[in-house]
Amino acid sequence: MSRIAVVGTGYVGLTTGACLSSLGHKVICADIDERKVAQLKDGKIPIVEDGLEEIVVQGIASGCLDFVVGAAAAASSCEFAFLCVPTPEGEDGQADLTYVERAAGEIASVLPRDAVVINKSTVPVGSTRVVERVLRRPDVSVVSNPEFLREGTAVHDFLHPDRVVVGADNLEAAQRVGRLYESLGAPILVTDAASAETIKYAANAFLATKISFVNAIAAICEGVGADVRDVMRGIGYDRRIGNEFLRPGPGWGGSCFPKDTLALLKIAERADYRFDLLQGVVDVNLQQFDRMASRISSAAGPGGTVAVWGLTFKALTDDLRDSPSLEIVDRLLAKGHRIRAYDPTVRERLTSYPSVQICDSEIEACHGSDALAVLTEWENFRWVDPAEIVGLVSSRHVVDTRNLLDRSAWRNAGFGYQGVGR
Ligand code: NAD
């Protein structure tokens, strides 16, 4: 059992802290948000994440998990301190390290001798050194341990990782961090710090590339009368390609891919490499948002009202950061459309979208609308009976950017149905 501090209790920090406590470690999680800490101490979690509340409650009950305000309070008696703070996109696309540097500064003087500080935030190559410089503690090692969890399945992903990556120039410190994960039975890859930092960006850039590629093939399928689902099934059987992450959609987004692809473009620039391939991946994605928005706009007619199903960047999360749905909503608003939206996790009007009407159900969103757009793949949308809403949508047209609905059922109910790539 190790004594662990986790700085930042967002999607990554809270999952990391709670899961490590479930493995028997003694964990103190810190945040600067006092309200959040008070809520967490009561066993209530402020985000939607399957299974997380249960392990938080168990951790608190077993005495293995606690929450405090301020990083210093968590780190003063730890052997390991995980930094899980935001690394947003900076002004010029580079990752902004302000939160990481601030968190490291807060714990520098209180860390016990020989502690290990672990960068779990996604940070550019060289950030291990940045943290070392802020800490000014030669006895403390800094290790990079990027996180690969997916929101919506974060607990499962943390406890059943495909691999654990630990990078440091001090091999012994990297091995100490690797041992924290030993009981998970996953391959533990120990690398130098720069390689570990690069792995995270390379993984996200590769996944974004896959989706942009599928979306580009989907556009071709539409032009030649092929069905992208069959095409992807056909290539996915090839083990060199694999069948994961081959679904077309409205474009990729979320709190990581957009900022991480831009950050990698900046890293490449500084490494004196023109990463045209990744720039193409980003451009195809913007094209996809435009294509989907135009398609929905045409279905709704000039100034028409669009019923939008789904605002989060994917199903099973409440995270709206850089959501493709909102990218499309932005474009529709710019074209003069009105929006009536329903999302199972969004109950209040969004401050940045005051004109978007938030509705209480899929059906309510369709009242007085001119077209329907499915933007997030929430499973409940699949089960709405099209016969119930066909009279509510004036154009009787649905644009299903997730290929979620049963096309035949919707066509049989009298809807014009447009999916992606078929
Ligand atoms: P988040 O915004 O959900 O959470 C960050 C938390 O850190 C917030 O609660 C904030 O109040 C807190 N914080 C900021 N400064 C602090 C300080 N000095 N002391 C204590 N708490 C502080 O962020 P996230 O989505 O968990 O992402 C964190 C990092 O992990 C980012 O670098 C991100 O790129 C990376 N990452 C995220 C995911 C994901 O799916 N969200 C996956 C892998 C990696």
Side-chain angles (χ1 to χ4, degrees):
M1 184 200 84
S2 300
R3 280 171 285 114
I4 294 172
V6 175
V7 182
T9 60
Y11 290 87
V12 168
L14 186 55
T15 306
T16 300
C19 289
L20 287 172
S21 79
S22 79
L23 298 179
H25 300 293
K26 191 133 178 92
V27 182
I28 305 179
C29 294
D31 208 287
I32 40 175
D33 182 338
E34 293 181 20
R35 232 178 49 171
K36 199 187 237 188
V37 171
Q39 213 182 336
L40 288 166
K41 270 179 158 311
D42 279 344
K44 299 200 175 68
I45 68 161
I47 52 174
V48 172
E49 197 57 67
D50 191 35
L52 187 52
E53 190 153 297
E54 288 86 327
I55 55 168
V56 167
V57 169
Q58 280 163 17
I60 295 171
S62 69
C64 282
L65 183 62
D66 197 6
F67 297 93
V68 293
V69 176
S76 59
S77 61
C78 74
E79 296 159 79
F80 299 93
F82 282 85
L83 303 184
C84 305
V85 293
T87 46
E89 188 183 316
E91 269 171 25
D92 53 357
Q94 286 189 57
D96 176 356
L97 286 183
T98 313
Y99 291 96
V100 173
E101 291 180 58
R102 201 173 294 154
E106 287 169 35
I107 60 175
S109 64
V110 302
L111 282 169
R113 242 200 108 59
D114 297 327
V116 179
V117 172
I118 301 149
N119 264 341
K120 200 171 243 322
S121 298
T122 302
V123 286
V125 181
S127 301
T128 305
R129 296 258 177 284
V130 171
V131 172
E132 277 168 2
R133 273 200 297 277
V134 174
L135 290 173
R136 292 168 177 242
R137 286 280 305 264
D139 62 309
V140 169
S141 304
V142 182
V143 170
S144 164
N145 170 219
E147 181 50 56
F148 301 97
L149 63 77
R150 297 161 300 175
E151 287 180 23
T153 50
V155 171
H156 175 272
D157 293 351
F158 191 95
L159 294 174
H160 304 91
D162 293 336
R163 77 315 207 177
V164 173
V165 173
V166 190
D169 299 328
N170 171 347
L171 183 66
E172 196 244 317
Q175 284 167 339
R176 276 176 69 194
V177 175
R179 279 197 288 278
L180 294 175
Y181 294 96
E182 225 159 33
S183 62
L184 298 179
I188 296 176
L189 184 63
V190 177
T191 68
D192 58 78
S195 301
E197 289 162 343
T198 307
I199 286 169
K200 176 63 190 173
Y201 284 104
N204 275 357
F206 192 78
L207 293 170
T209 303
K210 262 185 135 174
I211 304 177
S212 278
F213 178 83
V214 175
N215 283 337
I217 295 291
I220 295 170
C221 287
E222 287 168 11
V224 301
D227 185 330
V228 72
R229 296 183 320 164
D230 290 336
V231 174
M232 289 307 138
R233 217 173 291 142
I235 69 170
Y237 275 112
D238 186 327
R239 272 173 298 194
R240 293 169 302 174
I241 295 173
N243 52 25
E244 297 278 332
F245 240 61
L246 290 183
R247 283 224 201 107
W252 42 264
S255 69
C256 293
F257 287 7
K259 76 173 173 63
D260 292 350
T261 44
L262 291 186
L264 184 54
L265 282 169
K266 280 287 161 192
I267 292 169
E269 204 179 295
R270 282 204 307 276
D272 213 12
Y273 176 68
R274 249 184 53 186
F275 202 164
D276 290 342
L277 173 63
L278 187 58
Q279 186 59 56
V281 167
V282 171
D283 293 344
V284 166
N285 200 46
L286 297 175
Q287 222 180 63
Q288 188 70 357
F289 295 148
D290 291 342
R291 292 179 70 242
M292 293 302 116
S294 300
R295 191 167 289 185
I296 297 162
S297 178
S298 306
T305 298
V306 180
V308 160
W309 285 1
L311 292 170
T312 52
F313 85 96
K314 60 189 268 192
L316 303 177
T317 181
D318 57 345
D319 199 347
L320 293 162
R321 291 177 289 181
D322 281 326
S323 168
S325 307
L326 293 177
E327 288 282 350
I328 290 171
V329 164
D330 278 334
R331 285 160 174 75
L332 292 172
L333 290 173
K335 287 174 194 280
H337 294 283
R338 283 188 302 276
I339 307 286
R340 294 174 61 78
Y342 169 68
D343 186 288
T345 64
V346 180
R347 307 296 350 125
E348 282 165 18
R349 204 175 275 264
L350 303 174
T351 39
S352 353
Y353 291 86
S355 67
V356 171
Q357 180 78 40
I358 301 294
C359 302
D360 286 332
S361 69
E362 294 91 340
I363 311 255
E364 196 201 319
C366 291
H367 274 281
S369 69
D370 298 301
L372 168 61
V374 179
L375 300 185
T376 310
E377 75 282 25
W378 286 102
E379 193 60 20
N380 2 348
F381 299 160
R382 203 194 284 274
W383 308 116
V384 175
D385 179 359
E388 259 193 78
I389 52 172
V390 68
L392 305 177
V393 181
S394 76
S395 70
R396 301 193 164 198
H397 206 100
V398 57
V399 178
D400 179 4
T401 69
R402 299 281 186 169
N403 289 345
L404 182 75
L405 308 178
D406 177 344
R407 179 169 71 173
S408 317
W410 282 70
R411 285 192 174 152
N412 290 340
F415 268 97
Y417 173 95
Q418 258 184 302
V420 183
R422 52 198 294 250

